[in-house]
Amino acid sequence: MTGPLSDIRIVDLSRVLAGPFCTQILGDLGADIIKIEKPGAGDDTRKWGPPYLKDKDGKDTSESAYYLSANRNKRSAAIDIATPEGRELIHRLLEKSDILIENFKTGGLKKYSLDFSYVHKKHPHIIYASITGFGQTGPLSAEPGYDLMAQAMAGMMAVTGEPAGEPMKIGVALSDIMTGLYAAIGILSALHKRRETGRGQQIDVALVDCTLASLTNLAQYYLTSGKVAARFGNSHSTIVPYQAFEAADGWMVVAVGNDSQFARFAKLLGHEEWAKDPRFATNPARVIHRDVLLPLIAVAIKNRTRNEWLEGLEAIDVPGGPVNRIDEVFAMEQIQARNMRIEMGHALASDPVPLIGSPLKLSETGVSYRQAPPVCGQNTDQVLRQLLELDTNRINELRARGVVA
């Protein structure tokens, strides 16, 4: 085990994305993640395909690309928490662990004696992270929550999409991702505090809360002015021009952050006079007169290729970039230099499996890639033998009764 969290063990009862994304981050940083899965079923996202990982014969396995994206650096132990013996195994694991993370509905683990109140009394050192749609309190706390609901209910969809179009969700499950990030931050903070007190605590993070927090300036726009932010498509509500434009051969973005950049940009477009026009000379003026200025810019950019414009923008130090497809992203030298595509050996594949690399770059205690996303129950025997010191006969007995797999 390597990494700054190599002395930390996490019992991971979470499924789907927010929780697994959180524990993958902590696993990359060295934590020992024991992913508890239901025997015979496993994480729901294993079946969220196609596409699926190909086996050694080129046939689809049961491992979806969705599952592969958030489950490396974990050991999978298939234990049925609905059985008394399974719950006993979990509590024995907690005795030797630091963190429990779960994303059951609020109150859903009480019948298994794995709710925070019970765990905190029995294992006061455990940091208990709960991820739900709406949190542990409030009138909606008992309701299930999903990323799409969070994006809709927390205002993200209302500010995403074309002005005259329909509300639009983000292209990925961003509410889940951000909630996983907040959960990781909370866990690290609780670990720091436990050094002082020796006691764990509950971390309560909700998809809706985290999505609302992510609206930052747009939510504050309402709190400050009482006005509801409108949708601007690929434009920015308070910076102009800051959006996508179509060149002769493809789409690109231009991000003008100040008036001097705009003056240089206008000159590049062949319209140096725009920087002296009182409608366009300052950003507040450009915001007010965006309906006049933006069509003029669009017409000018359409006349040359994307690369021509991007080379020109680089030369005058104005931010811009191509709108890349995902295949073009992974082909970028910058992405390759940052090791954002990695490969790991997988139990079901003959060739190394490509995965998305970690964006965390620590100069002294970097991330490590130790185990590819495991198949369901891949490490059950290992966990039960190494951590709980069960012998083969006892493991086989539990397996015969369906407690483990």
Side-chain angles (χ1 to χ4, degrees):
M1 300 290 289
T2 61
L5 300 181
S6 61
D7 59 338
I8 299 299
R9 179 172 295 122
I10 300 174
V11 174
D12 185 1
L13 297 181
S14 69
R15 303 92 65 208
V16 188
L17 185 55
F21 187 76
C22 168
T23 51
Q24 178 169 272
I25 294 170
L26 302 175
D28 286 350
L29 292 169
D32 179 17
I33 313 295
I34 302 174
K35 184 178 179 70
I36 306 299
E37 301 193 72
K38 184 178 181 180
D43 193 312
D44 293 345
T45 60
R46 290 181 181 276
K47 300 178 179 64
W48 285 11
Y52 292 95
L53 175 69
K54 301 292 185 181
D55 66 14
K56 298 173 183 178
D57 298 319
K59 298 178 180 179
D60 282 347
T61 69
S62 60
E63 310 298 281
S64 72
Y66 200 115
Y67 167 78
L68 294 174
S69 72
N71 285 284
R72 68 167 168 259
N73 284 337
K74 302 177 186 182
R75 297 193 279 174
S76 172
I79 300 174
D80 189 355
I81 65 172
T83 65
E85 297 98 328
R87 293 194 290 273
E88 180 187 359
L89 293 175
I90 299 300
H91 280 291
R92 289 186 61 189
L93 285 173
L94 290 174
E95 292 173 0
K96 299 185 177 183
S97 301
D98 301 278
I99 299 155
L100 183 151
I101 183 168
E102 57 90 10
N103 63 344
F104 285 71
K105 286 200 303 182
T106 298
L109 284 174
K110 189 171 184 178
K111 62 183 176 181
Y112 302 124
S113 299
L114 287 169
D115 57 297
F116 172 68
S117 179
Y118 189 90
V119 169
H120 190 58
K121 290 178 182 177
K122 190 175 179 66
H123 313 285
H125 71 287
I126 286 290
I127 293 164
Y128 191 108
S130 296
I131 295 174
T132 56
F134 300 97
Q136 301 297 306
T137 57
L140 296 178
S141 60
E143 297 297 320
Y146 296 89
D147 178 272
L148 180 62
M149 293 169 60
Q151 291 198 35
M153 297 177 72
M156 181 172 284
M157 286 181 66
V159 298
T160 304
E162 292 298 324
E166 62 184 292
M168 191 69 61
K169 73 176 182 68
I170 304 297
V172 298
L174 197 60
S175 292
D176 276 331
I177 295 299
M178 291 184 298
T179 304
L181 289 167
Y182 273 109
I185 293 168
I187 286 169
L188 295 175
S189 298
L191 280 171
H192 183 74
K193 184 64 176 178
R194 196 182 66 175
R195 293 179 178 179
E196 175 187 332
T197 66
R199 292 176 61 81
Q201 58 183 296
Q202 185 174 28
I203 298 156
D204 170 13
V205 289
L207 296 178
V208 170
D209 295 351
C210 294
T211 305
L212 175 56
S214 77
L215 296 185
T216 55
N217 60 298
L218 294 184
Q220 189 63 45
Y221 178 94
Y222 166 73
L223 293 177
T224 300
S225 69
K227 297 179 181 179
V228 175
R231 290 194 298 276
F232 285 94
N234 287 321
S235 299
H236 196 285
S237 60
T238 55
I239 307 174
V240 174
Y242 192 99
Q243 67 177 75
F245 293 99
E246 188 177 12
D249 61 346
W251 287 86
M252 55 179 280
V253 296
V254 177
V256 171
N258 56 55
D259 296 337
S260 62
Q261 287 182 354
F262 178 74
R264 298 196 299 275
F265 178 56
K267 184 177 181 180
L268 176 67
L269 294 178
H271 290 280
E272 190 172 359
E273 73 278 5
W274 288 350
K276 299 177 183 178
D277 189 319
R279 297 173 300 170
F280 311 143
T282 67
N283 185 70
R286 291 193 295 275
V287 170
I288 293 172
H289 299 285
R290 66 166 67 234
D291 292 341
V292 177
L293 176 61
L294 293 177
L296 296 175
I297 296 174
V299 170
I301 288 183
K302 192 76 173 177
N303 292 325
R304 295 169 66 182
T305 67
R306 187 170 68 172
N307 283 343
E308 287 178 307
W309 286 122
L310 294 177
E311 288 174 1
L313 290 171
E314 184 178 6
I316 62 173
D317 198 24
V318 171
V323 177
N324 285 330
R325 300 187 310 269
I326 294 179
D327 59 332
E328 294 173 319
V329 174
F330 283 108
M332 290 175 60
E333 291 184 10
Q334 177 66 25
I335 294 299
Q336 295 167 6
R338 298 289 290 172
N339 296 317
M340 289 304 297
R341 181 191 187 277
I342 63 169
E343 293 185 344
M344 300 185 74
H346 193 280
L348 300 181
S350 56
D351 297 323
V353 176
L355 298 170
I356 306 161
S358 171
L360 293 172
K361 316 297 181 185
L362 284 70
S363 63
E364 298 295 330
T365 52
V367 302
S368 62
Y369 305 117
R370 306 177 303 281
Q371 178 170 318
V375 299
C376 184
Q378 178 175 327
N379 310 105
T380 302
D381 287 19
Q382 179 191 66
V383 168
L384 297 182
R385 283 197 178 98
Q386 289 183 357
L387 299 182
L388 304 187
E389 300 178 352
L390 300 187
D391 60 26
T392 299
N393 290 337
R394 177 58 175 159
I395 294 173
N396 288 340
E397 179 186 345
L398 292 171
R399 182 170 281 114
R401 296 212 306 273
V403 177
V404 305

